[in-house]
Amino acid sequence: MVIPLHQPHITGKEIAYIQQAMQSSHLAGNGFFTQACQSFLEQKYGFHKCLLTSSCTDALEMAALLLNIQAGDEVIIPSFTFVSTANAFLLRGAKVVLADSQKNHPNLDANQLEQLINPRTKAIVVMHYAGVACDMTAIQAIAQKHQLYIIEDAAQAIDAYYKDKPLGSLGHLAAFSFHETKNIHAGGEGGVLVINDPQFISQAEIIWEKGTNRAAFTRGEVEKYAWQALGSSFLPSEITAATLYAQLESLSKIQAKRQILWQNYQLAFADLEQKECIQLPKIPTSAGHNAHIFYVNCPSEKVRQKLISYLKEQGIQAAFHYIPLHGSPYFQKHHAPPLALTHCEYHAQTLLRLPLFFDLSEAQQNKVLDCLYNFFRI
Ligand SMILES: *Cc1c(COP(=O)(O)O)cnc(C)c1O
């Protein structure tokens, strides 16, 4: 029996809600379940306005359109992130400027941020890795000083906090993912754009609905709807939203279990850290993380490779994260290399993710723990 890295949890209510959507005969987007999911998120987290999307990638692309990012603009993003963070802005013709990670954490290093800013810079995109908040006080102060927009790539950050504020509420815009690998999912693919700066709300609805004011028409605010701006088809179907709604209703339960599993790893590995076999994640006290990923840092890339192979032999999936954007074939083909991003490279070479999902059993987790101890022979 293989212990996977991820496994999407099914709450049991998805099918009933999908059936309800089917029976309502409203299958396209922006129906009952879409609005129910959006209201749920707005109420629970105090987000100003939410628009469901087919993916977090879509939500990031909407953000780039909303900020009117153009050729000649620069956007600062971490190199330690998923490709969607970069693609969204490159598709609009911007230049992406890659930032390094912190020494102790893969998140963007706010201390090195200001040197990347110039008059062409328009926005800073932060990515809260593993649902651990970036240093938002410092980043917000820099953004304010230089009059830059902040976008949160909060793909991994549902139900995570910075001090007492939920992640996704700290940028002008934020994007969450409900891909099957995230804490909750929308049946495979899904996302949401959060609009915290009210100036963007009406334009966001237009971009969302193929560049038309159809959302206003649906509410009876206009007699006809028409092409108003550049847009695309970003809204998901009601089937997607119905699935997500079932997951949202179980969010607290899912989160409680994930937190326990995460803590189990952290406590069980304290000994391995003391003996300098691995390093455990360093969570700043300002970050209330959401147990999205449990990772350790191995002493070297070589040890990590051996450990991945050993765990694979034992039927356990474990994985690295990420090939940094500046080391990717696409970036290297099209861009001059940035200055050395040494902290980012350290995490990319040593970080190892372990299985963490709602249905991970005690026996399965114990097997992972035993295997790590066996590998280091303690
Ligand atoms: C998962 C993820 C995405 C992409 O999310 P999709 O919903 O699959 O588009 C983007 N950024 C980060 C940091 C992610 O982890």
Side-chain angles (χ1 to χ4, degrees):
M1 183 193 58
V2 172
I3 304 176
L5 188 59
H6 309 287
Q7 188 176 289
H9 172 60
I10 307 299
T11 69
K13 279 179 126 182
E14 289 84 353
I15 299 290
Y17 288 157
I18 289 170
Q19 205 159 26
Q20 194 181 322
M22 294 262 180
Q23 279 161 358
S24 79
S25 294
H26 182 138
L27 294 176
N30 201 10
F32 172 81
F33 283 108
T34 300
Q35 285 166 20
C37 289
Q38 291 174 179
S39 302
F40 181 101
L41 292 164
E42 287 160 10
Q43 275 160 27
K44 183 165 170 75
Y45 298 115
F47 297 148
H48 210 85
K49 174 75 192 162
C50 290
L51 293 174
L52 285 198
T53 54
S54 300
S55 64
C56 177
T57 303
D58 268 4
L60 290 165
E61 287 177 23
M62 282 185 74
L65 276 162
L66 271 171
L67 297 188
N68 197 23
I69 298 290
Q70 314 248 341
D73 291 338
E74 294 190 9
V75 177
I76 299 172
I77 68 171
S79 186
F80 193 88
T81 187
F82 187 60
V83 296
S84 296
T85 324
N87 273 325
F89 301 95
L90 292 175
L91 279 167
R92 311 257 41 92
K95 177 180 170 192
V96 295
V97 176
L98 300 181
D100 203 358
S101 299
Q102 299 166 26
K103 188 164 186 229
N104 282 334
H105 196 277
N107 277 348
L108 186 149
D109 183 0
N111 293 323
Q112 297 188 57
L113 195 52
E114 217 161 2
Q115 71 202 38
L116 304 176
I117 295 171
N118 67 44
R120 293 180 296 281
T121 311
K122 270 207 105 172
I124 300 167
V125 187
V126 297
M127 192 277 274
H128 307 293
Y129 183 69
V132 177
C134 292
D135 183 359
M136 293 310 293
T137 304
I139 293 166
Q140 283 175 325
I142 293 168
Q144 211 154 33
K145 181 174 158 197
H146 297 275
Q147 299 201 314
L148 304 175
Y149 289 114
I150 295 178
I151 298 166
E152 295 176 76
D153 179 340
Q156 305 177 4
I158 191 74
D159 207 50
Y161 287 79
Y162 176 71
K163 298 180 181 167
D164 59 345
K165 295 203 174 73
L167 299 190
S169 70
L170 297 142
H172 297 84
L173 301 165
F176 287 93
S177 173
F178 303 118
H179 183 263
E180 68 165 36
T181 52
K182 306 302 201 263
N183 288 22
I184 56 167
H185 64 84
E189 306 279 352
V192 67
L193 176 72
V194 176
I195 301 138
N196 295 310
D197 183 340
Q199 65 160 319
F200 292 120
I201 292 176
S202 59
Q203 192 68 8
E205 276 191 341
I206 288 169
I207 290 171
W208 190 52
E209 283 265 27
K210 295 102 176 162
T212 74
N213 55 344
R214 185 175 169 152
F217 172 75
T218 306
R219 286 192 299 268
E221 291 167 15
V222 291
E223 263 180 44
K224 296 179 195 153
Y225 70 90
W227 190 14
Q228 307 283 340
L230 213 54
S232 190
S233 183
F234 289 116
L235 69 177
S237 89
E238 278 287 287
I239 304 303
T240 299
T243 311
L244 180 61
Y245 194 66
Q247 295 269 316
L248 287 171
E249 284 188 331
S250 288
L251 179 60
S252 306
K253 183 178 148 199
I254 292 169
Q255 285 302 101
K257 174 80 184 287
R258 292 187 74 107
Q259 292 285 359
I260 291 170
L261 294 169
W262 196 99
Q263 277 299 332
N264 288 347
Y265 276 134
Q266 178 87 347
L267 290 173
F269 289 146
D271 227 30
L272 283 183
E273 182 171 60
Q274 258 205 338
K275 301 197 164 96
E276 295 180 10
C277 300
I278 54 169
Q279 286 210 6
L280 293 174
K282 301 290 174 285
I283 311 287
T285 50
S286 56
H289 75 90
N290 65 350
H292 174 56
I293 290 172
F294 188 86
Y295 67 84
V296 299
N297 285 104
C298 296
S300 69
E301 194 170 9
K302 222 166 148 183
V303 172
R304 181 179 69 178
Q305 195 44 53
K306 277 193 189 154
L307 181 51
I308 290 175
S309 305
Y310 173 75
L311 291 172
K312 195 173 168 195
E313 281 165 25
Q314 307 299 316
I316 297 168
Q317 279 184 1
F320 72 96
H321 233 182
Y322 293 96
I323 293 174
L325 297 183
H326 71 276
S328 64
Y330 182 81
F331 190 88
Q332 292 194 339
K333 197 163 140 198
H334 295 276
H335 300 80
L339 300 174
L341 301 177
T342 50
H343 299 154
C344 169
E345 279 158 26
Y346 163 74
H347 292 290
Q349 283 161 11
T350 63
L351 190 148
L352 181 72
R353 292 176 292 152
L354 297 174
L356 178 58
F357 49 90
F358 180 85
D359 295 300
L360 184 71
S361 70
E362 199 180 324
Q364 286 175 318
Q365 189 171 37
N366 285 339
K367 182 171 172 189
V368 179
L369 298 176
D370 288 346
C371 284
L372 247 82
Y373 271 91
N374 285 341
F375 178 81
F376 291 107
R377 287 193 187 82
I378 299 184

